[in-house]
């Protein structure tokens, strides 16, 4: 007999959700320019826009808030955070920022010069933005399987060493600012890299003096997949695997709004004291003093506690990724095209396969996210051609191979019954997918356009 798993927590406080009618939702999405980012959360029933900053904190984190030391300089809460990052991630030098992109900004400005190249495993929107803003060119060196939604490769986040070597040979090692290595690659569908690949990339780069900077935002979820899928690690704890991952890097940027179980915060962590010194000089100009950066003392307390909690037992991440898998399996069982294997933080619907009647320039994923919202009040997010933006040189759309809608599961927030409601809605929309019309821009912002763009149905 199979035995069910359940969440390793119980609910102590609840937040009522808004229920809306279909008519209300049709008005709301029209008013939002068919962009789910522009909906008011009061008009949303189950909010799967993002897992970023949407976690439920534990009672320990809430009580930690009260211990926040709000001293301008040298706050006790900062030193607690330094200890937590050192114990759990193994980096000694901490630069606290308001969130992940604050850390990306500082790292990019310090390490990238005009004309430099930054190879990475697929791109993330804000990460690439900061790399380009600093004058660099991002080059995707992820394995080909990552661009194939139906490939069952267990480590679709791996870097292809041949692709990386080709970039290094073409430009020369001294033009490579660093390798930007994301754990559990968001845009690929929450897909992990193997520890073997992380080690190989680090060995290759170290021989050539090329730094490896992790985006360790979802490294805990990556560690879980290593434990489950990579031979030799099945008996290691998540905490040990995480340290093994970070050991093979020179530093990391982290958005603490994901794995770290807080609603705001982030950091840059490095090993090199000289790089840390330069980062602190930038921190005081752009974020705040070096012992709080972009965070209040109470935020650093809750973050230090969240960092320890995320690896205190393996049950947390098993249940977190298990819930994502539960939703994914329900959709796979019905035959809805989704990115496989199911990722760590969300289920990614293959909008190109669901809406074959729409060309990519008609923004199928944007249209599908809007249709799911109208059906049930479930809010997902476009992760396709709109998110990819335009090439800053040519002005043409970047045309990603993946045209996806992401249903991202906040940590410790929703129950399996919510997942059932989501699955039923997606199936309903999938069954009538041929009725969904394409969209066109009515407003296209120049930077990170997906956040605030507005659309209308193509007449
Ligand atoms: O949203 P920030 O600034 O704390 O972090 C930016 C960021 C960096 N790296 C990765 C892999 C992310 O996923 C990320 C933010 N992700 C968001 C907001 C998301 O919805 O996935």
């Amino acid at each position: 007999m199979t035995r069910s798993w359940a969440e390793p927590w119980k609910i102590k406080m609840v937040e009522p959700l808004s229920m809306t009618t279909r008519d209300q939702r049709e008005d709301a999405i029209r008013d939002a320019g068919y962009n789910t980012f522009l909906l008011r959360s009061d008009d949303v029933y189950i909010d799967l826009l993002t897992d970023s900053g949407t976690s439920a904190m534990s009672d320990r984190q809430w009580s930690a808030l009260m211990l926040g030391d709000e001293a301008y300089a040298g706050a006790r809460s900062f030193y607690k955070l330094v200890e937590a990052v050192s114990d759990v991630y193994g980096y000694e030098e901490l630069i606290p920022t308001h969130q992940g992109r604050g850390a990306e900004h500082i790292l990019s400005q310090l390490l990238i010069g005009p004309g430099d190249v930054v190879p990475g495993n697929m791109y993330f929107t804000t990460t690439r933005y900061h790399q380009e803003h600093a004058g660099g060119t991002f080059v995707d060196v992820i394995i080909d399987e990552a661009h194939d939604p139906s490939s069952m490769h267990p480590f679709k986040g791996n870097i292809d060493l041949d692709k990386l070597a080709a970039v290094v040979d073409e430009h020369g090692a001294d033009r490579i600012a660093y390798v930007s290595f994301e754990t559990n690659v968001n845009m690929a569908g929450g897909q992990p890299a193997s520890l073997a690949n992380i080690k190989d990339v680090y060995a290759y780069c170290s021989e050539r003096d090329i730094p490896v900077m992790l985006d360790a935002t979802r490294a805990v979820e990556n560690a879980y997949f290593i434990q489950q899928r990579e031979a030799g690690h099945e008996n290691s704890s998540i905490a040990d695997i995480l340290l093994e991952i970070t050991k093979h890097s020179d530093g990391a940027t982290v958005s603490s709004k994901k794995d770290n179980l807080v609603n705001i915060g982030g950091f840059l962590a490095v090993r090199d004291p000289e790089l840390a010194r330069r980062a602190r000089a930038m921190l005081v100009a752009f974020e705040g003093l070096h012992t709080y950066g972009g965070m209040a003392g109470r935020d650093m307390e809750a973050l230090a506690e969240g960092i320890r909690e995320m690896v205190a037992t393996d049950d947390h991440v098993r249940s977190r990724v298990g819930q994502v898998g539960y939703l994914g399996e329900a959709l796979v069982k019905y035959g809805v095209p989704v990115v496989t294997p199911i990722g760590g933080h969300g289920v990614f619907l293959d909008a190109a396969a669901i809406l074959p009647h729409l060309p990519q320039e008609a923004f199928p994923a944007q249209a599908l996210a809007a249709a799911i919202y109208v059906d049930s009040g479930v809010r997902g997010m476009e992760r396709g051609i709109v998110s990819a933006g335009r090439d800053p040189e040519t002005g043409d759309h970047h045309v990603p191979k993946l045209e996806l809608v992401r249903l991202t599961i906040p940590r410790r927030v929703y129950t399996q019954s919510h997942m059932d409601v989501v699955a039923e809605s997606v199936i309903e929309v999938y069954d009538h997918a041929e009725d969904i019309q394409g969209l066109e821009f009515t407003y296209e912002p120049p930077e990170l356009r997906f956040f605030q763009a507005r659309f209308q149905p193509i007449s």
Side-chain angles (χ1 to χ4, degrees):
M1 194 181 72
T2 46
R3 302 290 294 262
S4 297
W5 56 269
E7 291 77 8
W9 39 260
K10 58 183 177 175
I11 296 165
K12 190 181 278 194
M13 188 187 286
V14 297
E15 177 180 342
L17 296 175
S18 347
M19 314 293 281
T20 49
T21 64
R22 189 179 179 96
D23 283 349
Q24 286 170 329
R25 294 192 292 273
E26 278 173 356
D27 288 347
I29 198 75
R30 193 179 327 102
D31 291 349
Y34 297 86
N35 184 349
T36 52
F37 274 101
L38 300 180
L39 289 165
R40 289 170 178 245
S41 68
D42 274 350
D43 293 329
V44 173
Y45 172 34
I46 299 174
D47 202 349
L48 307 186
L49 184 73
T50 178
D51 64 330
S52 180
T54 52
S55 299
M57 292 208 297
S58 67
D59 50 0
R60 286 174 199 193
Q61 287 178 286
W62 280 106
S63 44
L65 283 179
M66 294 302 295
L67 302 175
D69 175 2
E70 306 301 346
Y72 188 88
R76 185 172 58 243
S77 308
F78 170 71
Y79 294 104
K80 265 196 202 168
L81 181 58
V82 170
E83 258 178 53
V85 170
S86 162
D87 290 350
V88 175
Y89 288 95
Y91 300 117
E92 297 303 327
E93 303 285 350
L94 176 75
I95 290 91
T97 56
H98 71 286
Q99 54 183 82
R101 67 199 73 181
E104 291 168 352
H105 172 220
I106 292 174
L107 181 70
S108 302
Q109 290 295 325
L110 289 180
L111 292 190
I112 303 172
D116 281 353
V117 172
V118 188
N121 50 345
M122 209 167 262
Y123 77 103
F124 184 70
T125 53
T126 58
T127 321
R128 191 180 65 193
Y129 173 81
H130 282 296
Q131 291 163 354
E132 288 173 349
H133 190 66
T137 302
F138 173 80
V139 182
D140 184 13
V141 292
I142 202 166
I143 59 171
D144 287 342
E145 287 86 344
H147 294 283
D148 173 2
S150 59
S151 160
M152 288 300 286
H153 194 294
F155 293 105
K156 285 165 99 171
N158 280 355
I159 284 183
D160 182 327
L161 274 147
D162 291 337
K163 286 189 195 174
L164 176 59
V167 175
V168 175
D169 291 346
E170 185 186 341
H171 300 277
D174 52 338
R175 295 313 310 181
I176 309 295
Y178 58 93
V179 170
S180 177
F181 202 157
E182 186 184 335
T183 50
N184 240 44
V185 180
N186 189 352
M187 300 299 276
Q191 302 293 328
S194 69
L195 200 46
N197 186 252
I198 294 169
K199 287 182 182 175
D200 287 348
V201 169
Y202 189 57
Y204 172 88
C205 290
S206 301
E207 275 174 25
R208 290 160 181 80
D209 275 336
I210 300 170
V212 175
M213 291 295 170
L214 297 179
D215 180 336
T217 293
R218 295 184 181 85
V220 171
E221 289 162 12
N222 197 127
Y224 176 71
F225 286 125
I226 289 171
Q227 186 194 56
Q228 297 300 305
R229 296 179 187 166
E230 194 167 351
H233 301 289
E234 52 277 48
N235 297 321
S236 307
S237 67
I238 298 298
D240 285 346
I241 298 172
L242 178 59
L243 281 171
E244 200 56 30
I245 292 173
T246 54
K247 199 164 103 188
H248 298 91
S249 70
D250 297 289
T253 54
V254 173
S255 165
S256 295
K257 301 171 73 172
K258 286 82 164 173
D259 272 354
N260 293 170
L261 298 167
V262 287
N263 305 118
I264 194 72
F267 57 87
L268 166 66
V270 296
R271 299 192 195 290
D272 176 9
E274 174 55 18
L275 182 60
R277 188 194 60 71
R278 292 172 58 216
R280 289 186 186 110
M282 275 196 77
L283 190 73
V284 296
F286 289 100
E287 299 266 330
L289 195 78
H290 61 282
T291 56
Y292 69 84
M295 281 182 279
R298 56 182 170 274
D299 294 336
M300 293 191 285
E301 286 282 340
L303 173 54
E305 173 61 29
I307 286 172
R308 293 194 185 278
E309 254 174 41
M310 73 184 183
V311 292
T313 71
D314 294 359
D315 298 329
H316 159 67
V317 67
R318 184 181 305 124
S319 125
R320 187 281 182 286
V321 177
Q323 190 181 41
V324 177
Y326 175 84
L327 173 61
E329 293 311 326
L331 298 179
V332 168
K333 209 161 135 196
Y334 192 79
V336 179
V338 297
V339 174
T340 53
I342 305 299
H345 66 304
V347 177
F348 289 65
L349 309 176
D350 184 355
I354 295 172
L355 305 178
H357 61 288
L358 296 184
Q360 207 166 1
E361 307 78 66
F363 311 133
Q366 192 78 33
L368 181 60
I372 293 168
Y373 168 73
V374 170
D375 179 73
S376 58
V378 170
R379 167 158 73 168
M381 178 197 290
E382 193 265 7
R383 292 277 81 156
I385 189 167
V386 179
S387 295
R390 290 183 186 271
D391 185 311
E393 300 275 295
T394 65
D396 294 338
H397 290 298
H398 285 297
V399 182
K401 293 204 181 90
L402 298 178
E403 180 68 21
L404 309 172
V405 170
R406 188 182 72 172
L407 301 172
T408 342
I409 317 299
R411 295 166 186 77
R412 308 193 293 205
V413 170
Y414 293 114
T415 64
Q416 272 180 221
S417 325
H418 290 111
M419 297 303 112
D420 292 339
V421 169
V422 174
E424 288 160 16
S425 173
V426 172
I427 287 168
E428 176 78 23
V429 172
Y430 172 61
D431 280 343
H432 300 96
E434 66 282 359
D435 298 339
I436 297 175
Q437 279 176 277
L439 297 172
E440 61 192 9
F441 278 115
T442 58
Y443 166 59
E444 183 186 352
E447 313 285 5
L448 297 170
R449 62 184 182 178
F450 57 96
F451 283 129
Q452 297 180 80
R454 301 185 73 84
F455 304 84
Q456 64 188 8
I458 297 171
S459 46

